Structures are given as structure tokens and as C-alpha cells.
Amino acid sequence: MKVQIINIPQNLHLIPRQHEPFDAYGVSKDPDSRYAVIEASQNSLFIAVKVVSCDNDLLVGEYVDHYRFDNDIPMMMKYTVLWDCIRYGFCKLNLWAPEMADEFSGYFDQTVKRFYFDWELYKKCYEDINGVPCKKQDPNKRRRKPS
């Protein structure tokens, strides 16, 4: 599937020709097709977007966040996007890697990244579930401040 990502921050150089459509290795959309995680490079670059449009063979999405994994050691690994938390405003990027069990406290898989799509929904759910104010800051806003 071809993908075009808009509003990538200027200081990020994730993909060549950032504003042009490119062939994604994989795309995972939430059940309502409002959000997507694009596997731009196999097992190494994942970009979360809010879906702007999706027709025929082109998905246009607005940049939210990304995860990059650089490891040149050959190993068995597979990433999966878990959408069961989208009702709380986020999804999880899960890595299954049996050779990393020591690093994962004896487990073969672990959540390596949360992509927050709706921070206000997350805060509301956090406060409802825990009964205390959410003091966390929106990770997407923290990341976009100039360094």
C-alpha cells in the first residue's frame, strides 16, 4: 500500500522525500480506521498517524509519533500492533523476539512503544480508573518542543 505522511516535524528525517507517497512494508489500522501504524521499513521504523484519507491504494495520515529499532544482529523477531487499548486513546507496539528473553525478564515478547492518539481520552480514562488526577504530560507534545 502507498502511504503519504503529512506534518512530520522538520527536525525528523525519517524517510527520504518525506512529503511524497511511498510503498509501506505494512500498515495496521484500528478497527474504525481512524488511526494507523505504518511499518515504513521492515522491523525497524514504525510511524503512527491519524488517518486523513484512505482510498484505493493510498493512505494519507498525519504524523503522531514514531519508533525506530536499529539492530544489525540477525535474530527472530516480529512486531505486532495491539489495538485493544484504543478505547483508552493509545495502541501498543509489541515485539516478539525469543532471543531477547533475557532482556524481557524471561518473556519472549514485550511492549516496546505506546502510540498515544487521543491524550485527552487517555487522561480521562486514567482518572476514572485510578480515581486520581493524571499528572503525566502528553508525550507527543513533549517530543515536539525544539531542542
Side-chain angles (χ1 to χ4, degrees):
M1 171 176 260
K2 286 223 181 266
V3 173
Q4 182 177 8
I5 302 171
I6 58 175
N7 295 333
I8 297 175
Q10 294 285 342
N11 60 340
L12 293 179
H13 302 288
L14 298 176
I15 51 178
R17 299 182 304 276
Q18 292 198 108
H19 303 291
E20 295 179 21
F22 65 93
D23 288 314
Y25 182 78
V27 174
S28 176
K29 292 189 280 188
D30 77 301
D32 296 329
S33 296
R34 296 177 299 157
Y35 311 111
V37 176
I38 293 134
E39 189 172 359
S41 180
Q42 185 179 12
N43 287 338
S44 64
L45 177 60
F46 297 85
I47 304 171
V49 298
K50 290 182 181 180
V51 175
V52 174
S53 67
C54 186
D55 55 356
N56 297 330
D57 195 34
L58 177 66
L59 181 143
V60 178
E62 183 176 2
Y63 175 86
V64 173
D65 196 2
H66 73 280
Y67 172 79
R68 188 184 314 236
F69 180 77
D70 294 320
N71 187 345
D72 58 355
I73 300 170
M75 68 172 98
M76 289 178 33
M77 60 191 322
K78 178 177 170 66
Y79 286 92
T80 309
V81 180
L82 305 175
W83 292 104
D84 54 337
C85 295
I86 198 63
R87 65 182 179 263
Y88 304 118
F90 68 94
C91 75
K92 296 177 183 178
L93 181 63
N94 194 64
L95 170 61
W96 176 82
E99 295 160 17
M100 295 179 73
D102 289 339
E103 296 172 43
F104 293 165
S105 301
Y107 295 97
F108 283 6
D109 65 337
Q110 179 172 316
T111 299
V112 292
K113 178 75 174 174
R114 281 186 179 190
F115 292 119
Y116 293 93
F117 295 100
D118 187 338
W119 184 253
E120 291 306 314
L121 175 61
Y122 173 80
K123 276 179 46 177
K124 181 187 177 316
C125 292
Y126 179 95
E127 291 169 358
D128 290 347
I129 291 168
N130 296 300
V132 297
C134 180
K135 295 182 180 179
K136 299 177 184 179
Q137 293 181 4
D138 182 344
N140 296 334
K141 286 186 181 172
R142 277 193 319 229
R143 231 175 263 109
R144 291 190 181 187
K145 288 183 180 175
S147 34

